């Protein structure tokens, strides 16, 4: 399993970012081969982060590409700064 974490800072409207991500971005990831899950986290004060999980590195890489294109096309002023991306194999996990 591979994960991609994207941390965004300087978001101009956290509520609007959450709405847009939920309405139009999540569905794009669901079609990437190996998709496992996606989480959008509101850190407050213009900070938000996402966690995407895939069965392979190729899926995680593709999610980063899709996110970059989606922001540029749908919300460049809402996300004024590029994200800090951390990507790699999941080495420990747990679920309820």
């Amino acid at each position: 399993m591979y994960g991609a974490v994207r941390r965004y800072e300087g978001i101009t409207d956290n509520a609007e970012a959450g709405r847009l991500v939920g309405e139009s971005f999540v569905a794009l990831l669901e079609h990437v081969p190996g998709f496992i899950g996606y989480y959008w986290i509101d850190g407050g004060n213009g900070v938000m982060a996402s966690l995407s999980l895939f069965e392979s590195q190729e899926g995680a890489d593709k999610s980063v590409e899709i996110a970059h294109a989606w922001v540029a096309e749908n919300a460049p002023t809402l996300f004024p700064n590029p994200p800090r991306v951390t990507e790699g194999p999941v080495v420990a996990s747990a679920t309820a």
Side-chain angles (χ1 to χ4, degrees), residues 13-96:
D13 184 336
N14 282 25
E16 179 66 4
R19 184 188 70 76
L20 283 174
V21 166
E23 288 181 0
S24 67
F25 178 71
V26 175
L28 299 175
L29 292 185
E30 291 174 335
H31 298 288
V32 174
F35 175 78
I36 296 172
Y38 179 82
Y39 303 89
W40 182 249
I41 303 157
D42 186 345
N45 298 316
V47 175
M48 299 188 94
S50 68
L51 169 61
S52 304
L53 297 170
F54 293 87
E55 292 176 1
S56 69
Q57 181 178 354
E58 292 78 19
D61 291 346
K62 185 68 174 172
S63 78
V64 172
E65 292 173 24
I66 290 170
H68 178 75
W70 182 87
V71 167
E73 184 177 322
N74 295 281
T77 59
L78 194 58
F79 296 80
N81 303 312
R84 291 189 296 177
V85 178
T86 303
E87 183 182 339
V90 174
V91 296
S93 65
T95 57

